[in-house]
Amino acid sequence: MEELDSITISEERLEDCRDVIEPELQDLIQSALKSGFSREEILIAVSELVAEDFATVMKTPSVH
């Protein structure tokens, strides 16, 4: 298992990226709420999907 020692990401680029994806994330959450899922269920599902993608990008194993 590889250990992740550090990731270098520009704080400015990260902030810009958050500004771009935040509205779509809120739309996704609202859509899932209308489908009958709780906010907790939605956030857990999104968190798991993000963890899976992150593990793939970093080439590290993920825990589900």
Side-chain angles (χ1 to χ4, degrees), residues 15 36 47:
E15 187 175 321
S47 175

Side-chain angles (χ1 to χ4, degrees), residues 12-62:
E12 184 177 304
R13 283 187 57 82
L14 182 59
E15 187 175 321
D16 290 345
C17 185
R18 289 178 63 135
D19 289 345
V20 169
I21 64 174
E22 197 273 336
E24 291 183 32
L25 175 61
Q26 292 306 316
D27 290 346
L28 173 67
I29 291 170
Q30 290 305 313
S31 176
L33 285 168
K34 290 176 185 173
S35 293
F37 295 101
S38 71
R39 185 169 289 277
E40 291 82 3
E41 291 170 321
I42 298 162
L43 293 175
I44 290 168
V46 168
S47 175
E48 288 178 349
L49 291 169
V50 169
E52 289 173 13
D53 278 1
F54 189 75
T56 300
V57 169
M58 299 306 298
K59 296 180 175 42
T60 57
S62 61

